[in-house]
Amino acid sequence: IIPAIDLLDGQCVRLLQGDFRQCKVYEQDAAGLAARYSAEGARWLHVVDLAASRDGENADIGPLLDLLDAAPQSVQTGGGVRNAADIGVRLDHGADRVVVGSVSINQPQRFAGWLRDFGPECLVAALDVRLDEDGTPWLRSHGWTRESGLSLWKVLDFYAETGLKHVLCTDIGKDGAMAGPNLDLYREIFRRYPDLRVQASGGVRDLDDLHALSKTGAR
């Protein structure tokens, strides 16, 4: 289990399906929350810098770097990662893995180069999907605002040959809805790509959902 903190302008928040207009702000201090998760046994923490995702190179990533410096557990972080320097600064501040979304979808050759340069243990491909009426998972990028025109299967077929190890896959339709995860999606990913370490995201409500996910191949 990897607890997640979404940061926006230094605050802990939750967006509904990535919509900044539907933003719930929490009172918890991010560093304090990370420490609490660690004390309760969380060996990893997932941090999304929504300001970096929203504002790009103009974003103030200070709150993220402060959290990376303070968090007692291993951290993977994403949001607004657009070049090798973005990866480097996060790793330099203590991130153990950097999560890359839009580039991993729209510029696969470039991301494959980063896998070679930084190593597959340091990078996670964030592949966020919205299912069509036939159940095909289509990838969306730029904070879920843009259709890529690519299916999850086409992109994973490419990465299966590049040494990619870690994938974070979110069913956008489930995220923030508290309606349960898409178990069929993760079963199919594991069936096709049994060597990938897949992190399931979106819709988890309770322990029953976690037990169900543990049987899909997600890990």
Side-chain angles (χ1 to χ4, degrees):
I1 301 172
I2 305 178
I5 294 177
D6 288 357
L7 276 182
L8 182 60
D9 303 325
Q11 295 179 302
C12 297
V13 304
R14 178 171 62 86
L15 305 184
L16 178 60
Q17 299 184 13
D19 188 349
F20 282 91
R21 296 169 298 180
Q22 300 187 66
C23 177
K24 179 177 177 60
V25 178
Y26 295 90
E27 296 299 324
Q28 288 97 332
D29 168 71
L33 189 57
R36 177 182 172 187
Y37 287 147
S38 177
E40 293 181 357
R43 293 177 293 173
W44 278 87
L45 179 68
H46 177 81
V47 181
V48 180
D49 187 354
L50 292 171
S53 179
R54 180 191 62 194
D55 302 332
E57 62 183 16
N58 297 318
D60 175 11
I61 66 169
L64 170 66
L65 300 184
D66 290 342
L67 180 55
L68 291 177
D69 289 335
Q73 65 271 81
S74 298
V75 180
Q76 65 177 35
T77 182
V81 177
R82 294 171 171 82
N83 53 57
D86 292 335
I87 297 172
V89 70
R90 287 157 174 78
L91 294 175
D92 288 345
H93 277 264
D96 294 271
R97 297 179 192 147
V98 176
V99 182
V100 181
S102 298
V103 172
S104 71
I105 294 170
N106 298 315
Q107 301 178 59
Q109 293 288 354
R110 188 181 185 196
F111 184 67
W114 293 348
L115 286 169
R116 292 191 297 270
D117 293 342
F118 292 98
E121 278 295 348
C122 292
L123 294 173
V124 181
L127 303 179
D128 303 326
V129 301
R130 188 176 289 279
L131 277 63
D132 65 15
E133 58 185 14
D134 296 321
T136 300
W138 295 97
L139 290 161
R140 297 181 72 92
S141 63
H142 296 83
W144 303 347
T145 62
R146 300 184 191 178
E147 298 179 3
S148 70
L150 299 169
S151 74
L152 175 65
W153 313 131
K154 182 173 183 177
V155 170
L156 284 181
D157 283 346
F158 170 81
Y159 283 129
E161 306 299 323
T162 68
L164 177 67
K165 185 173 183 178
H166 297 283
V167 171
L168 170 62
C169 185
T170 302
D171 180 347
I172 296 168
K174 298 290 188 180
D175 188 76
M178 298 297 288
N182 187 338
L183 301 176
D184 290 339
L185 173 65
Y186 302 114
R187 290 192 192 100
E188 183 63 14
I189 295 173
F190 183 70
R191 186 187 71 80
R192 296 186 185 218
Y193 314 99
D195 293 331
L196 283 178
R197 298 189 68 86
V198 179
Q199 301 172 25
S201 172
V204 174
R205 301 162 295 185
D206 51 32
L207 284 173
D208 288 341
D209 286 337
L210 292 173
H211 287 305
L213 279 169
S214 72
K215 299 175 183 178
T216 67
R219 45 185 171 167

